[in-house]
Structures are given as structure tokens and as C-alpha cells.
Amino acid sequence: MMNFDDRIKEMAQSEPACVPDGFGRRMDRLADSLGGKKERRRPRLRGAQVAAIAVAVCLLAGGTVFAQANGWVTFGWDGETPGEISMEEAPADANTSVQEMRDEADYSGLLAGLAQNETYRVVESNGDAQSSGHEMTITSPEQLEGVLEGSVIPYGTPRTLPEGYSFNRGWIYFGLSPELIDPDTGPSRTEQLEDGRVFEVYALPDGYERYIEYVFMEYVDADGNELQFVAAPHTKDSSMSFGASQMGKLEQVEIPGYSKALYINDESGALGHSHLLYAQKEMDNTPYMDIFDLDYANTPTGQRDKPFEPDYYDAVIYSLSGTDVSKDQMVDIMGGLA
Amino acid sequence: MRQDEAYVVYSEATKPGSAADMDEFFVDGVRRIRSDLFRVANSILRSPADAEDALSESIVKAYAKRHTLRGREKFKFWMMKILVRECYALRKVSRLVVCTDALPDTVEASAPPARELWDVVAGLPDEFRVAVVLFYYEDLGTKDIAKLLRVSEGTVKSRLFRARERLRALLGDDGRPGGE
């Protein structure tokens, strides 16, 4: 008699994978193209496939977008490329996941007793182990500037703020992941907190602090209104999509020094903030630690068995978002990043 | 087993060959397992569009690294490893983009309708769903799943144990959808 696992396996393995229409054709085209394809630099942020979903929505160029009621729209830098759309209500948790990336765990207990001359990465292993970053809390703009001096990516930070706003909190993430860790050795420590979450602690290699993949800064005014700033590396030719409720208004804006910029005004609350400004600034092609390459270039003991091949970025994506701030104010801040 | 069938095909071509042989092996291999890879990607990203994107990127990346494949019989696991990294990278980066993680379910509904078991599996929490797909659909052992997900084997066992309890509650002891 089959046990439960065997029955489920039998069902699972007799069930064909459900793939989207045209999947095989697109994969065949990709496979056929491989012979002449040169190495890619970086995964795209979002797929070209987003446009493949039929969209019955009117996107008006250069101005306001009002689509069908109660939906969710995604679009590219030009504000016109239709992406996925839902006729459902925009999800309640549809705001950017900046907050989700902040793990509020107190790591001090997890790190107690470990070697003082090492830096450790803490991974929540019963959640999403792969997406937890190694973070550093920023306590002042001056501290951030000091940290960024060693960064291979030339991030700018806000130098001018709307009147009444001042630094509230910030953090950065380093471009590391468990791929750097020998999977057979495992973590230096595993701890389960009282709330049931399990954390694994890994020692980090030298030089990790040069590879900053994410900067977050938050400013507030006396009334508690937030102004949030995010920066991350990018490749300028990569596709990128944004989203808003169908109440959202889009506007392409020109900011000196930036190759692309898009302003979103969405009062629906679905984005968390009603004013958002995204901008892309191009930079020299910059080699960056490719955490995924390391997985294949390194032996389990960390000794490279072939030369390390870095990845490359040639742009930085910045975003500003707030509620009690105007488009012009955000454009001024973005234009003054240094 | 389905997975072994793929391996049998690959092991016929295990002899060291020319670059052209490797190219042909790679392309044929991807064709054979692409649906399985897509399912794994979709279990992580919960978006057919993102899953296909991650798979495309993984194929390109794997092709560029095909000379690093040690043992053609390991092709599927090797591809899956690259794909899983790609999916988690995409998911992490996509969090910088408004709402890509939280697209409404109707986007997924534009894909072909899922089968009954998949309906149940797709509704599991993230950490259970991925482990379930790798264990039940891809027939991987807990050690291999741990390597793919970069967690300890104990963590995988724990996730599977908890997932199994949920599946049992949803499917019944006989494993049939609709059972209580």
C-alpha cells in the first residue's frame, strides 16, 4: 500500500506542468538563438513577457492614465508600455516592499560568542532564505557617505531636502547571499527565536562591503510625513516595469543628468505614498561581484578554480516617494543627488 | 521515474565530445526539461510571466557556463540550481519595483488553468510550496533540495513535514483533492 508521500508523488508526476500559451514556441526561439548569443551581463528586472498579456486599457501618451475602474496597471519607463492588468482591486499590500526588506530582528543575541574579527550574515531560514540581505543600519547621512566611499557603485545621496525634513533612519544591503557560503559546511550558528523564526548565521568574506546593492534612506518632517529614498544598481538596457492603481497619473519628466525619469501620482494609497519619482542615471560600465558566478567559480572551500568573472552595471536606479511632497520638490532632490 | 527518464537520455551523451556536441546536448536537454523548470520557477515567483523570464535568463546564463557542467547526468540539477538562483535574484530585485510581488491573482489566471493538485500546492505558503514542488514533482531528495535552496537539510525536512500536514488536511489521507 502506498504511503501518503508516494501517492502525492504519483499524482504530481503524472500531472503535466501548466505553462503559458506560446511557452514552447518562445523557448524554442531562445534555444535556437543560443549558438550565436554572447554572454549576458545581468538579468532583466522584469520580463518582456509582461507585455504578452492582453491588455484592454487606454494609456494616453505623455499625460494622465485613467484605465478601467478598480484595476492595477503596470507600465515601462515611457509610461505607455502596457503590462499586466487586473480588473480586481489593487492588492492591499501593493506598496513597494521596502519595508519588507527590513528585518527587524535583533541580531545581537544571534551573534554572541562568535569570532569578533569576522562579519556575519544572518539569514531567516524558515522564511525566504535567499532574499534576506546582509544589512547595515545607517544612523546619519554622514555615516552613509563614509560607507559609500568604498562602494564600487557611485551612488548619489540627497543633498537638498524640502523644508522641515530631516534624516530619520536608513540602511544598506550588501550584494551577498548564501551562494558565498559552502553549503556542505553550513552556517556558523542556527538559532530559533521565541517567536518560532529560525535564523542561520554565516561568516562573510573579505571585501563584501564594496558591493552595496541597495541603499535606503528615510526623512521625516515634524508631522511625521515620510520621504523615502532608494538607490540600486542597474543595467540601462534592462527592462523595468512599475505599477499603480488605475487612479494613477503618470508623467515622464526630464531631469538633467538622468537618462530616464518617471513621476507617478497615485492617491489611491495602493503605493503607500502618493508621489513617486523614479530616475535612471547612467555610469561607466562597472564590474560588480556576481554572487551567482561565485557559486560556480569557487570550490566548496572557497578557493577559486578559475578566474572570477565579475558582472557589470552601467546605471543606477533611484526612487523617491512621499506623501506631503510635490513633484517639483522631488525633481529638485533628484537633480541635486551627489 | 520522470526525472530519471531525462537522465537516461543525457547519460547516452556522457562521453566527452566537441563543443558542437555540447551545444546540441544543452539545447536538447533544455527542450526536455523546460516545463519542469518552468514549474519550479513559477512555484517561487508565483507569476507565469516572471517564471518564464527567469527561465529564459537561466538558460542564457547556463549556456554561457555550459563548460562548467561536470557530468552530463547532472544536467537537470545543474540547470535547476541556476534557475533557483535566478528566481530568488529576480524576486529580490523586483522588490525595488512597485508591486511586482503583489500582482493580483488574475494575472496568474491568464495562464492555462491549473490541475487539482497544483491548485492545492499553489496555495501553500512560499517556503512550503517550493519544497513541495522540488520533493513531490521533481522527486528530489531532501539533501539536494537543501543544496538548491541553501538551507540545512533539517530545514527542508521541517518544511516538508509542515507542508505534508497541510496537504493531508487539504487532500485527506488518501491524497485526493477534495478530501478532508
Side-chain angles (χ1 to χ4, degrees):
Chain A
M1 185 177 173
M2 295 173 77
N3 64 28
F4 183 78
D5 276 353
D6 290 339
R7 281 196 295 275
I8 300 299
K9 280 190 181 183
E10 187 178 63
M11 288 171 60
Q13 292 172 22
S14 63
E15 190 176 85
C18 220
V19 297
D21 291 339
F23 171 78
R25 194 172 58 249
R26 290 190 294 276
M27 288 292 114
D28 282 345
R29 274 204 304 268
L30 174 63
D32 291 342
S33 72
L34 285 176
K37 204 167 187 74
K38 299 299 181 189
E39 199 164 332
R40 296 286 292 272
R41 287 177 306 180
R42 192 72 187 167
R44 288 166 288 162
L45 290 181
R46 295 274 293 156
Q49 285 75 21
V50 294
I53 298 173
V55 178
V57 58
C58 177
L59 297 171
L60 303 177
T64 305
V65 171
F66 288 108
Q68 298 174 39
N70 298 325
W72 182 260
V73 185
T74 63
F75 36 84
W77 280 108
D78 57 4
E80 298 179 33
T81 306
E84 295 102 324
I85 184 170
S86 164
M87 300 313 296
E88 302 279 308
E89 290 283 350
D93 57 350
N95 57 318
T96 52
S97 304
V98 168
Q99 299 300 329
E100 294 173 23
M101 298 189 70
R102 170 75 171 156
D103 194 323
E104 299 293 348
D106 176 6
Y107 295 154
S108 59
L110 298 170
L111 301 177
L114 294 172
Q116 295 299 303
N117 58 347
E118 296 278 2
T119 305
Y120 295 92
R121 166 187 165 79
V122 178
V123 172
E124 185 175 355
S125 65
N126 59 341
D128 176 4
Q130 306 287 342
S131 69
S132 299
H134 179 72
E135 68 176 35
M136 172 187 283
T137 300
I138 299 296
T139 56
S140 70
E142 293 74 22
Q143 181 203 3
L144 177 64
E145 286 175 24
V147 173
L148 293 183
E149 282 179 7
S151 170
V152 298
I153 304 294
Y155 293 109
T157 57
R159 297 301 172 95
T160 56
L161 295 170
E163 187 175 347
Y165 280 85
S166 60
F167 171 81
N168 182 44
R169 58 180 180 153
W171 55 86
I172 58 178
Y173 276 82
F174 297 101
L176 293 166
S177 80
E179 279 78 8
L180 288 170
I181 310 302
D182 172 8
D184 296 324
T185 302
S188 302
R189 169 174 292 172
T190 300
E191 291 273 356
Q192 182 162 11
L193 303 186
E194 287 183 359
D195 62 9
R197 291 185 299 167
V198 178
F199 287 84
E200 293 174 345
V201 182
Y202 298 89
L204 298 183
D206 293 340
Y208 75 91
E209 65 274 14
R210 300 182 62 221
Y211 300 95
I212 296 171
E213 66 173 29
Y214 181 86
V215 177
F216 173 87
M217 295 283 274
E218 183 183 83
Y219 310 88
V220 293
D221 68 8
D223 296 325
N225 294 307
E226 300 167 349
L227 175 61
Q228 293 181 341
F229 167 83
V230 171
H234 190 54
T235 50
K236 63 186 179 186
D237 295 329
S238 300
S239 61
M240 191 164 178
S241 64
F242 309 90
S245 80
Q246 291 187 349
M247 289 177 62
K249 303 171 185 176
L250 312 181
E251 184 180 344
Q252 283 183 275
V253 292
E254 291 188 4
I255 306 176
Y258 292 83
S259 53
K260 298 172 182 175
L262 183 68
Y263 166 70
I264 304 170
N265 181 357
D266 187 345
E267 303 287 348
S268 71
L271 297 176
H273 293 140
S274 51
H275 301 274
L276 299 95
L277 178 65
Y278 293 91
Q280 174 177 294
K281 178 170 277 191
E282 296 181 9
M283 64 182 185
D284 292 340
N285 217 18
T286 303
Y288 190 89
M289 177 189 289
D290 183 340
I291 55 179
F292 303 102
D293 275 346
L294 282 178
D295 188 33
Y296 305 104
N298 287 2
T299 66
T301 57
Q303 300 300 310
R304 287 175 191 153
D305 59 3
K306 71 181 181 69
F308 172 63
E309 296 175 5
D311 217 332
Y312 288 85
Y313 289 113
D314 55 8
V316 178
I317 297 291
Y318 294 101
S319 81
L320 282 167
S321 62
T323 299
D324 192 33
V325 61
S326 69
K327 180 192 80 174
D328 289 343
Q329 286 174 316
M330 291 201 296
V331 169
D332 285 345
I333 297 168
M334 197 69 86
L337 294 185
Chain B
M1 291 185 293
R2 197 165 42 82
Q3 182 184 340
D4 288 344
E5 286 168 7
Y7 284 176
V8 168
V9 173
Y10 303 140
S11 38
E12 288 172 357
T14 335
K15 292 178 189 171
S18 64
D21 289 340
M22 183 60 193
D23 287 358
E24 188 178 344
F25 163 78
F26 182 91
V27 171
D28 286 348
V30 166
R31 283 205 170 99
R32 289 179 186 280
I33 63 173
R34 63 194 184 194
S35 297
D36 294 339
L37 295 174
F38 174 83
R39 178 162 47 203
V40 170
N42 199 23
S43 74
I44 296 171
L45 295 168
R46 303 189 72 183
S47 157
D50 281 352
E52 190 171 329
D53 195 35
L55 176 55
S56 300
E57 292 292 341
S58 303
I59 292 170
V60 171
K61 188 171 278 188
Y63 182 78
K65 298 172 185 293
R66 62 196 183 284
H67 59 281
T68 66
L69 173 61
R70 292 174 176 82
R72 294 186 176 187
E73 71 281 2
K74 297 176 182 172
F75 178 74
K76 187 172 183 180
F77 186 76
W78 178 76
M79 276 298 306
M80 211 169 277
K81 198 172 171 185
I82 295 170
L83 176 67
V84 169
R85 303 286 176 279
E86 192 67 36
C87 289
Y88 281 114
L90 180 65
R91 194 163 81 174
K92 178 158 65 173
V93 175
S94 71
R95 288 180 175 178
L96 296 177
V97 183
V98 177
C99 192
T100 51
D101 279 349
L103 287 170
D105 288 339
T106 49
V107 172
E108 295 191 23
S110 63
R115 299 298 184 92
E116 287 182 332
L117 179 61
W118 181 253
D119 280 338
V120 173
V121 171
L124 294 173
D126 281 5
E127 68 268 28
F128 299 161
R129 187 178 57 254
V130 180
V132 161
V133 167
L134 294 173
F135 184 75
Y136 291 106
Y137 283 87
E138 298 307 323
D139 205 23
L140 292 180
T142 52
K143 191 169 185 178
D144 283 341
I145 296 173
K147 284 184 178 175
L148 276 181
L149 301 182
R150 299 289 175 169
V151 297
S152 68
E153 191 176 1
T155 299
V156 173
K157 288 179 177 174
S158 167
R159 289 180 188 179
L160 284 173
F161 175 80
R162 293 156 69 191
R164 192 177 292 115
E165 294 306 300
R166 293 205 181 202
L167 288 175
R168 204 187 294 275
L170 292 165
L171 299 172
D173 283 337
D174 60 357
R176 285 195 302 240
E180 291 295 334

